[in-house]
Amino acid sequence: MKRSKLLLMWLAGMLILLVSSCRSDDEELVLSSVTNVTPGVQVTGPVKGFFLLNEGNMGSNKASLDYFDYASGNYCKNIYPELNPTVQKALGDVGNDIQINGDKLFAVINVSHLVEVMDVNTARHLAAIPIPNCRYIVFNGRYAYVSSYAGKVVIDPNARLGYVAKVDLNSLQVVDTCDVGYQPEEMVVVGNKLYVANSGGYRVPNYDNTVSVIDLNTFTEIKKITVGINLHRMAIDARGNIYVSSRGDYYDIHSKVYVINSHNDMVTDVLNFPASEFCLSGDSLFYYSTEYSKYTGQNTISYGIYDTRKKRVVTTNFITDGTEKSIEVPYGLAVNPDTKEIFVTDAKNYVTPGTLYCFTPEGKKKWSVTTGDIPAHFVFTTKRLQVTFSNQ
């Protein structure tokens, strides 16, 4: 993208943010709710808690932020409005990703076309970075990289190529963009290369099937790796293998997981298990799948763990006490890097509050709690939230 176009995009985004930067007089302030879900513990490891970003149904402007604190055992629901009473419409429309870098908490708000930046110690607003149809964020050195569909939120067979925006972490400004494939999703950084999963989701049935490779020194796309259609999730193991999920076409082509060797950028394996979401914990790739069948009209749900070192599935259900029968639509997944607790969220019917389940490393339920609508994205924090809520 030329610099002139980038400047126009930034100015348009800033105008939108300025128009909606103040809470209107008749907008009711929503207070957080605090629930004690488990006895507090003396935290010995680095992780002090986690943030959970609830997507909220598209068009409802109900993206919300929850926080769990290990020391108190308190689950704090919908914390953003109370901590940021002057920000109109709170977080905005559809929370798509959440990550931490240093003292800053970044929430990617897809349909509101912005990355919300907060102080990780207080969850208070610092800035909003305008990026159209933004999806996911990763960090490397002094920059953040944000994938963008670069267009309207609409199915369009003629949708333009997506891009990755390069954000200076000091100024919190977009300083460059790099075109990639169609509708780019998750990314991973390996050395001086950024790998981007291209979905082509707006161009159905002509999905993209490539992973773009960007040289971070020049910030240019240097190659595309042909993988599978409708790519989404990415993760990298300790041996430099990149795992990328293909969602298939939701009808006849099933979801799979592909493995790319980052040393030679070749696809080395095709793992024949479906994965709607996955996360790596050591050598264990935890995954779940929700696959819809046009023939039965039903979802097939599965949970599993793949051993990335031994290259085999070690279990086809990491929930061992039958709790999976209570989960209608699994939607979020995370593993605490310290305690190895497993977290799974349930989006239920997508328009009412969801549920978060905490399991022991052995897969037995420890506790559950009501979340916001469509609970989806986790980030563990090593800094305890330094605020007190009205209902606490």
Side-chain angles (χ1 to χ4, degrees), residues 9-310:
M9 179 191 75
W10 182 84
L11 289 172
M14 286 304 296
L15 178 61
I16 293 170
L17 292 177
L18 287 171
V19 168
S20 62
S21 62
C22 298
R23 180 177 294 274
S24 60
D25 293 337
D26 59 353
E27 190 176 352
E28 182 181 355
L29 176 61
V30 177
L31 298 180
S32 308
S33 64
V34 179
T35 303
N36 185 258
V37 295
T38 186
V41 297
Q42 183 175 356
V43 180
T44 57
V47 172
K48 302 298 188 294
F50 61 80
F51 294 95
L52 172 62
L53 181 63
N54 303 286
E55 288 188 357
N57 196 272
M58 185 179 293
S60 67
N61 198 61
K62 291 179 68 176
S64 63
L65 184 64
D66 299 348
Y67 169 75
F68 174 70
D69 179 69
Y70 272 103
S72 65
N74 287 338
Y75 189 84
C76 309
K77 180 183 172 185
N78 196 21
I79 66 174
Y80 187 88
E82 181 176 345
L83 298 177
N84 299 279
T86 63
V87 179
Q88 190 185 30
K89 297 185 179 179
L91 273 178
D93 201 359
V94 185
N96 211 72
D97 192 19
I98 188 164
Q99 300 294 336
I100 292 171
N101 183 267
D103 286 327
K104 294 183 178 68
L105 176 66
F106 295 79
V108 180
I109 312 300
N110 171 224
V111 184
S112 290
H113 309 290
L114 62 89
V115 177
E116 169 70 13
V117 187
M118 294 162 275
D119 184 324
V120 74
N121 300 289
T122 63
R124 291 194 168 93
H125 170 84
L126 296 175
I129 307 167
I131 298 175
N133 211 338
C134 42
R135 301 293 293 176
Y136 295 93
I137 186 168
V138 295
F139 306 95
N140 187 56
R142 57 174 289 198
Y143 297 105
Y145 299 93
V146 181
S147 57
S148 166
Y149 280 11
K152 296 179 180 179
V153 183
V154 62
I155 299 297
D156 179 4
N158 298 311
R160 60 149 286 172
L161 287 170
Y163 65 74
V164 174
K166 182 179 182 179
V167 178
D168 187 298
L169 289 169
N170 294 318
S171 66
L172 297 178
Q173 301 290 322
V174 176
V175 295
D176 204 353
T177 63
C178 177
D179 284 351
V180 286
Y182 293 103
Q183 292 79 61
E185 299 282 14
E186 289 195 342
M187 303 163 288
V188 294
V189 176
V190 185
N192 67 341
K193 294 189 290 186
L194 177 69
Y195 293 79
V196 187
N198 300 309
S199 72
Y202 281 179
R203 296 164 57 86
V204 55
N206 299 314
Y207 295 103
D208 203 327
N209 65 349
T210 63
V211 167
S212 290
V213 184
I214 295 175
D215 182 335
L216 292 179
N217 293 326
T218 61
F219 201 52
T220 56
E221 183 189 64
I222 56 176
K223 68 176 74 171
K224 280 188 170 77
I225 306 168
T226 300
V227 186
I229 69 166
N230 198 5
L231 302 176
H232 190 196
R233 307 293 185 188
M234 297 191 91
I236 183 164
D237 69 16
R239 290 162 291 283
N241 296 309
I242 300 170
Y243 299 82
V244 55
S245 67
S246 162
R247 289 174 287 198
D249 65 359
Y250 309 107
Y251 290 100
D252 298 310
I253 301 175
H254 294 286
S255 171
K256 293 184 178 68
V257 176
Y258 293 80
V259 185
I260 299 170
N261 183 333
S262 65
H263 302 294
N264 58 19
D265 291 341
M266 301 291 291
V267 175
T268 59
D269 295 284
V270 181
L271 310 180
N272 286 308
F273 57 78
S276 303
E277 173 68 287
F278 56 51
C279 67
L280 263 172
S281 177
D283 290 327
S284 296
L285 185 75
F286 289 75
Y287 64 89
Y288 76 77
S289 171
T290 305
E291 280 206 305
Y292 175 79
S293 169
K294 69 177 181 180
Y295 303 108
T296 66
Q298 301 291 323
N299 285 325
T300 299
I301 299 173
S302 58
Y303 304 85
I305 302 175
Y306 176 80
D307 188 317
T308 61
R309 183 178 293 275
K310 297 179 180 178

